[in-house]
Amino acid sequence: MKAARDSEELRILLRRSAIERRIRQLGRQITTDFRGQRLHLIGVLKGASIFLSDLIREIRLEVSLDFIAVSSYGQSNRSSGQVRLTKDLDNPIEGLHTILVEDILDTGRTIAYLQRVIRQRRPRSLRVATLLSKSGPRVKEVRPDYIGFEIPNEFVVGYGLDFAERYRNLRDICVLQLPGGELSR
Ligand code: PRP
């Protein structure tokens, strides 16, 4: 099946097998770090849903999950982006060990905002796991506890990440190139 439109080019950056291997390692690391404890994962819709669903099955602990969603104003120009909550958590997290699960860290705005929101709910602890961390400049300083891959400052799609809601279903993570198009996430 052909995934890309004619004018768009996809170049594989991370293959499914490498992603799987890395997620197994992250799962083992998290299992060790929280040994004997109950854990609560918070996935950020929509991109992180695929990562979270694979990660949670690699964690050998009592683990629950919830989702939160945000939207950024000015999608085409993220530098003017302001983050706002569009779906809150379903359940309270007071007293729980929590991990915020993201697909990609770019400017840092989304994670910085969500850390603030989640800390107000008084979890016992809050860590951050991101599958991808971009090398570009951050607007907000964020230090994730678990990083799958450091990647170059390019526009990536697949494995949950989209371009105009497309490509989330790709098994690999690919760099998307448009003819003459400037893309930023
Ligand atoms: C993407 C990604 C992160 C955010 C990272 O979400 O899933 O949440 O951008 O960027 P930042 O570090 O610059 O804040 P997007 O707004 O594309 O929504 P989606 O997950 O629904 O695709």
Side-chain angles (χ1 to χ4, degrees), residues 118-177:
I118 291 169
R119 283 200 182 109
Q120 287 167 0
R121 314 290 168 83
R122 310 173 70 83
R124 184 156 167 203
S125 66
L126 171 61
R127 291 194 181 185
V128 173
T130 185
L131 179 64
L132 306 174
S133 173
K134 261 199 189 181
S135 63
R138 303 263 190 262
V139 173
K140 299 278 183 188
E141 191 55 41
V142 172
R143 293 186 188 284
D145 302 276
Y146 306 99
I147 296 176
F149 301 92
E150 308 266 2
I151 61 164
N153 194 12
E154 294 187 277
F155 193 90
V156 287
V157 295
Y159 197 74
L161 292 144
D162 75 308
F163 170 58
E165 296 300 326
R166 292 158 44 223
Y167 299 123
R168 292 195 199 273
N169 58 326
L170 298 183
R171 296 163 71 88
D172 306 311
I173 291 173
C174 300
V175 173
L176 176 66
Q177 278 153 342

Side-chain angles (χ1 to χ4, degrees), residues 14-173:
L14 297 164
R15 287 193 186 278
R16 174 71 186 135
S17 53
I19 300 169
E20 266 171 15
R21 246 194 332 272
R22 185 67 186 121
I23 292 176
R24 269 199 296 278
Q25 291 171 347
L26 290 175
R28 272 200 296 273
Q29 183 65 54
I30 291 170
T31 301
T32 304
D33 292 352
F34 289 90
R35 174 105 26 228
Q37 319 257 24
R38 183 186 157 199
L39 185 60
H40 189 65
L41 300 185
I42 299 172
V44 186
L45 294 172
K46 305 170 198 160
S49 58
I50 311 278
F51 174 41
L52 185 142
S53 65
D54 281 344
L55 180 66
I56 196 169
R57 285 175 286 178
E58 299 297 338
I59 297 174
R60 306 278 179 260
L61 298 170
E62 185 186 329
V63 56
S64 48
L65 69 85
D66 202 345
F67 289 98
I68 199 163
V70 292
S71 95
S72 296
Y73 294 115
Q75 287 287 352
S76 57
N77 177 8
R78 297 297 293 263
S79 61
S80 67
Q82 223 190 339
V83 186
R84 131 187 107 87
L85 206 63
T86 57
K87 184 219 165 288
D88 206 340
L89 297 172
D90 288 339
N91 299 115
I93 54 169
E94 187 166 351
L96 297 177
H97 289 296
T98 58
I99 301 183
L100 181 65
V101 179
E102 256 294 21
D103 51 354
I104 188 164
L105 166 60
D106 186 357
T107 65
R109 277 202 186 93
T110 306
I111 290 178
Y113 170 81
L114 286 173
Q115 281 178 312
R116 246 187 1 260
V117 169
I118 291 169
R119 283 200 182 109
Q120 287 167 0
R121 314 290 168 83
R122 310 173 70 83
R124 184 156 167 203
S125 66
L126 171 61
R127 291 194 181 185
V128 173
T130 185
L131 179 64
L132 306 174
S133 173
K134 261 199 189 181
S135 63
R138 303 263 190 262
V139 173
K140 299 278 183 188
E141 191 55 41
V142 172
R143 293 186 188 284
D145 302 276
Y146 306 99
I147 296 176
F149 301 92
E150 308 266 2
I151 61 164
N153 194 12
E154 294 187 277
F155 193 90
V156 287
V157 295
Y159 197 74
L161 292 144
D162 75 308
F163 170 58
E165 296 300 326
R166 292 158 44 223
Y167 299 123
R168 292 195 199 273
N169 58 326
L170 298 183
R171 296 163 71 88
D172 306 311
I173 291 173

